Amino acid sequence: MSIAIIFNNKDPEIWKEALEQKLKGVTVEIYPTVESPEEIEFILCWKPDKGVLSQFPNTKVIQSVGASVEHITNTQKLNHETVVTRIVDENLSLDMFEFLLSSILFKMKNFDYHSNQKQHQNWFPTNYKTIKETTISILGLGEIGSFVAKELLKIGFNVKGWSNSIKNISGVKSFQGEEELYHSVADANYLINLLPLTLKTENILSKRLMSSLKKGAYIINVGRGEHLVEEDLIELLDSNHLSGALLDVFRKEPLPKTHPFWKHPSITITPHVASLTNVNSAIDIVIQNYNRFKNNQELLNVVSLKKGY
């Protein structure tokens, strides 16, 4: 049995080398150079081209090499017997927390303002907020969202969150369901989106939701580009209802050079780097799942195809 690697925007060679070192005797092939597609039962995936998995009729396991799976579930016609799994890695959660903490403090302590003033050689001191008077609302309290909420709480932020189902995180006020969505963001200084992308969460960062934030609030989107209604964000920034936004994910990546986000003074752009998969730790999860599959054992981090996460 061979393993196939199907990647876009990610180097497959380092994954192939790591797998071959730790799975002696197992053939690892990189698409499109796969000698016998019908013999492939285990596939590593990252942003595969639409419909490409139909070339592998006997696939049993599709392993995403990231925390997300919609790049698979939204682009492939999957057999109901195919198991889709994802990476749940403490390193991903820690990296995400560090990225978000840096983003919050950068804005909270006015580094964006001072950076702009430096260009004009202006010396204009301005007031800043403190951690204890700052409220953060997190959309999505899954593995990563819950970790981020707990860590922000430890530092002293006021933290609350919203998810599809109730979460019991000590010290974090949890909201659930559509009826509580708008209450969950009402008094937040920062809104962080960490939701998975599903039919229900697409376009959730809309004018209605973002208008529910207090004036001067700041948006951080590290979920998916499809969560954000782009024209609504620009409108709320231009009207000064929102003070700014940090966007790490976009509907089309790389972000086209003609996109208005590039030139908007209140938008900070990062190139989908909030939390990068660490091959050294993630490969062990992949290998565990491969061995579990061979031994007919339950796989780790299986995704519900019905829920999409």
Side-chain angles (χ1 to χ4, degrees):
M1 178 171 49
S2 302
I3 296 176
I5 300 177
I6 304 176
F7 284 179
N8 279 321
N9 300 323
K10 194 182 287 287
D11 180 11
E13 291 292 344
I14 55 176
W15 290 81
K16 182 177 189 294
E17 182 180 338
L19 286 171
E20 288 178 336
Q21 283 180 354
K22 297 193 176 189
L23 290 174
K24 301 298 183 183
V26 175
T27 301
V28 182
E29 300 174 285
I30 297 173
Y31 181 83
T33 310
V34 178
E35 188 173 333
S36 302
E38 67 280 359
E39 293 182 9
I40 299 295
E41 295 185 322
F42 194 101
I43 296 178
L44 269 64
C45 258
W46 185 251
K47 297 187 176 181
D49 292 334
K50 186 174 182 179
V52 70
L53 295 183
S54 63
Q55 299 176 34
F56 303 88
N58 296 313
T59 303
K60 302 294 191 301
V61 179
I62 302 169
Q63 171 77 63
S64 171
V65 294
S68 63
V69 295
E70 78 280 347
H71 59 94
I72 297 169
T73 57
N74 291 353
T75 63
Q76 312 299 317
K77 187 175 181 180
L78 301 176
N79 186 304
H80 71 279
E81 294 180 355
T82 302
V83 178
V84 178
T85 69
R86 64 192 183 99
I87 298 295
V88 176
D89 184 357
E90 190 176 272
N91 288 313
L92 286 176
S93 298
L94 184 59
D95 286 354
M96 180 64 78
F97 164 67
E98 291 178 357
F99 179 91
L100 292 171
L101 179 61
S102 301
S103 305
I104 293 164
L105 292 176
F106 186 86
K107 178 64 179 176
M108 195 175 84
K109 298 304 182 182
N110 300 317
F111 284 116
D112 57 338
Y113 166 79
H114 294 305
S115 178
N116 178 265
Q117 293 304 306
K118 175 179 178 289
Q119 297 176 39
H120 306 287
Q121 296 180 303
N122 290 333
W123 184 277
F124 294 148
T126 186
N127 291 329
Y128 52 78
K129 282 190 172 293
T130 62
I131 286 175
K132 67 181 180 181
E133 61 184 353
T134 300
T135 298
I136 299 171
S137 183
I138 299 173
L139 301 183
L141 293 173
E143 293 278 350
I144 294 178
S146 294
F147 179 87
V148 169
K150 292 173 187 175
E151 295 302 308
L152 291 174
L153 189 69
K154 286 179 188 176
I155 296 172
F157 287 103
N158 303 303
V159 185
K160 54 184 183 172
W162 179 86
S163 54
N164 189 47
S165 58
I166 195 72
K167 305 292 183 183
N168 295 311
I169 304 171
S170 180
V172 177
K173 188 173 182 181
S174 178
F175 297 81
Q176 70 174 113
E178 239 176 283
E179 65 282 358
E180 295 186 357
L181 175 60
Y182 299 94
H183 297 301
S184 74
V185 306
D187 62 344
N189 303 107
Y190 293 84
L191 176 61
I192 297 172
N193 176 45
L194 275 164
L195 287 166
L197 181 62
T198 67
L199 291 176
K200 288 186 177 181
T201 64
E202 187 173 0
N203 298 319
I204 195 169
L205 296 177
S206 64
K207 182 178 181 179
R208 183 184 175 195
L209 180 66
M210 293 187 289
S211 296
S212 300
L213 289 158
K214 66 195 305 183
K215 185 175 174 62
Y218 192 79
I219 300 285
I220 302 176
N221 187 21
V222 287
R224 286 292 174 264
E226 291 84 353
H227 286 132
L228 177 65
V229 182
E230 296 179 347
E231 57 270 24
D232 289 356
L233 174 64
I234 290 175
E235 181 182 340
L236 291 170
L237 290 171
D238 290 346
S239 68
N240 294 318
H241 181 76
L242 297 176
S243 63
L246 186 148
L247 308 177
D248 185 58
V249 289
F250 306 91
R251 290 178 180 265
K252 185 175 181 182
E253 297 181 2
L255 186 66
K257 294 186 182 298
T258 56
H259 199 286
F261 282 171
W262 284 113
K263 294 185 177 180
H264 200 289
S266 299
I267 295 177
T268 298
I269 290 170
T270 53
H272 205 149
V273 293
S275 183
L276 301 174
T277 301
N278 183 307
V279 177
N280 294 325
S281 56
I283 202 70
D284 290 332
I285 298 171
V286 173
I287 289 169
Q288 282 186 65
N289 263 346
Y290 179 77
N291 287 329
R292 283 170 175 262
F293 167 61
K294 282 202 312 177
N295 295 320
N296 296 313
Q297 296 175 323
E298 185 177 352
L299 302 186
L300 304 172
N301 312 318
V302 173
V303 172
S304 166
L305 295 181
K306 184 177 181 181
K307 291 181 179 179
Y309 58 92

